[in-house]
Amino acid sequence: MKRLTEFSDTHQIRIRLAYYPPYHSKYNPVERLWGVLENHWRGELLDSVEKTLGLARSMAYKGIHPVVRKVKKSYKAGVSLSKQAMRELEKRFDRKPDLESWFVTINPITKLG
């Protein structure tokens, strides 16, 4: 949220975010893909990286085979903020009543020119 707020300020744009509640897989193509992959595996024991990658490569979703590769790089976790810093950011957000966790608007701080 911190980086989105900074982006909003830098580019002077309003950002509206709408999150799907957890477990709403019908709205998320990646979640549907996992279901296809599980059916493709048919309970196979995934006992090696090679077997897992091979099965993933051989599946198809809507007639398309995925590009599959093992990621070896470590990625840094997201930016962590203190509770106080997050409270300050929250002052900038407009949240939809009764759906506070799922809809947020970030308004930029207007630059005086």
Side-chain angles (χ1 to χ4, degrees), residues 36-85:
V36 172
L37 186 57
E38 286 175 352
N39 287 334
H40 180 68
W41 282 344
R42 294 186 183 157
E44 285 273 344
L45 180 60
L46 304 175
D47 56 359
S48 72
V49 171
E50 293 78 21
K51 185 174 185 178
T52 304
L53 294 174
L55 281 168
R57 286 184 186 113
S58 68
M59 67 159 287
Y61 179 66
K62 295 188 175 183
I64 300 170
H65 291 277
V67 174
V68 178
R69 65 183 179 274
K70 181 179 176 185
V71 177
K72 296 177 184 179
K73 179 179 177 182
S74 294
Y75 291 90
K76 291 182 181 179
V79 174
S80 295
L81 298 177
S82 68
K83 289 184 180 186
Q84 178 59 36

Side-chain angles (χ1 to χ4, degrees), residues 80-91:
S80 295
L81 298 177
S82 68
K83 289 184 180 186
Q84 178 59 36
M86 191 61 197
R87 277 193 294 272
E88 290 301 313
L89 275 183
E90 282 287 344
K91 292 176 185 177

